[in-house]
Amino acid sequence: MTSAPRTRVRTRALTGATAALGLSLGMITTLGATPANAATWPTASGNQAVSSTISLSGTKDYGMIRLYGTGDLGSGSQDEDQGPILSLAAGTVLKNVIIGAPAADGIHCAGSCTLQNVWWEDVGEDAATFRGSSSSNVYTVSGGGAKSASDKVFQFNGAGTLNVSNFAVQGFGTFVRSCGNCSTQYKRTINLNTIEATYSGSKLVGINTNYGDSATLKKITIVGDSSKKIIPCQKYIGNNTGKEPTTNGTNADGTYCKYATSDITYK
């Protein structure tokens, strides 16, 4: 299958086991969410250019089609005002899709949503942004993988709980970030379970202690980071003024950053 057109070239050298990122199509259809370290990157079943944001609700299974931006969504820039490829209404379940390049601003969830076996070949501004003002919102990312994120992979702007499991990420700035300077701030809970992160990332998760955020990390495997440069959990003092937040430590503390040494394995 011919790959979708690409308008952007990444220069970051990605190291580690690329075979760990993905699922075969047969594994996707028969096993559901497969642990990241047992995965093989999927082959697209077809390509679809997206010139304007697609709005979804209910359940949508793309059958491993590759979606990529064109026109207004095809610049491949880091513009924070660009639209997403997919916009999911609250309660939407999205399955089995590859977000190719250009990826624009990935996927937006307006409220609780489920992303099952979603793959980003070259993250745009962000892979996915989670919104919604209710503390009962639950955002679930189950299976999948992402590569080549210049900054963040998952941007958590709304309220509630974000659960990410059985996911592989390679080449990123921050894997999951609780918004540090949104005009409206919330308490946010982040749970990472069975994640394989291949260095050159800098932070797995960033949270705001002053808003009561917390992050729980379990079964984390970090590949190719012999010097242990990746920060598992970065604490910040967030704000609602748009200023860059200040840092507030990195150590596990049982309240904000919740993990034990045994929860993180280096390979």
Side-chain angles (χ1 to χ4, degrees):
M1 186 69 66
T2 301
S3 296
R6 298 173 67 86
T7 61
R8 174 171 47 155
V9 177
R10 298 277 185 178
T11 59
R12 177 189 293 116
L14 300 178
T15 60
T18 57
L21 286 172
L23 287 174
S24 69
L25 182 56
M27 291 167 68
I28 290 168
T29 56
T30 60
L31 297 180
T34 298
N37 59 6
T40 302
W41 191 264
T43 300
S45 61
N47 295 309
Q48 179 181 332
V50 180
S51 60
S52 60
T53 299
I54 298 172
S55 297
L56 297 177
S57 60
T59 298
K60 176 64 175 180
D61 188 334
Y62 272 98
M64 299 316 297
I65 287 177
R66 176 189 289 114
L67 305 178
Y68 64 95
T70 188
D72 290 343
L73 299 178
S75 70
S77 73
Q78 289 293 304
D79 183 359
E80 293 190 6
D81 294 324
Q82 64 187 312
I85 300 291
L86 299 174
S87 178
L88 279 54
T92 300
V93 177
L94 173 66
K95 298 181 179 182
N96 303 328
V97 65
I98 299 171
I99 306 298
D105 202 24
I107 296 170
H108 287 185
C109 287
S112 297
C113 66
T114 298
L115 308 182
Q116 182 178 345
N117 298 322
V118 177
W119 307 88
W120 290 264
E121 293 179 323
D122 190 344
V123 174
E125 168 55 22
D126 299 312
T129 302
F130 304 100
R131 300 176 172 178
S133 59
S134 174
S135 61
S136 63
N137 283 334
V138 177
Y139 318 87
T140 301
V141 180
S142 178
K147 294 189 283 189
S148 300
S150 294
D151 188 7
K152 301 174 297 295
V153 177
F154 296 129
Q155 177 71 35
F156 194 179
N157 291 350
T161 300
L162 170 60
N163 299 315
V164 184
S165 62
N166 301 309
F167 197 90
V169 60
Q170 182 178 15
F172 58 99
T174 299
F175 180 43
V176 181
R177 179 67 170 100
S178 175
C179 184
N181 54 13
C182 285
S183 58
T184 302
Q185 290 284 24
Y186 307 98
K187 175 182 178 180
R188 304 178 180 104
T189 301
I190 298 169
N191 298 308
L192 304 184
N193 192 323
T194 314
I195 306 297
E196 182 173 87
T198 300
Y199 189 68
S200 57
S202 62
K203 303 176 186 69
L204 286 181
V205 63
I207 57 173
N208 306 311
T209 58
N210 56 317
Y211 294 119
D213 293 355
S214 65
T216 300
L217 282 59
K218 295 182 178 180
K219 297 182 180 179
I220 308 297
T221 301
I222 299 178
V223 179
D225 184 19
S226 59
S227 298
K228 299 184 179 180
K229 295 180 180 179
I230 292 179
I231 297 171
C233 186
Q234 177 68 62
K235 291 175 275 191
Y236 294 92
I237 301 296
N239 64 74
N240 60 1
T241 64
K243 296 181 179 179
E244 283 301 308
T246 57
T247 57
N248 192 31
T250 60
N251 294 332
D253 54 28
T255 301
Y256 305 109
C257 293
K258 303 178 181 180
Y259 63 93
T261 302
S262 60
D263 291 312
I264 302 178
T265 301
Y266 292 84
K267 288 187 177 180

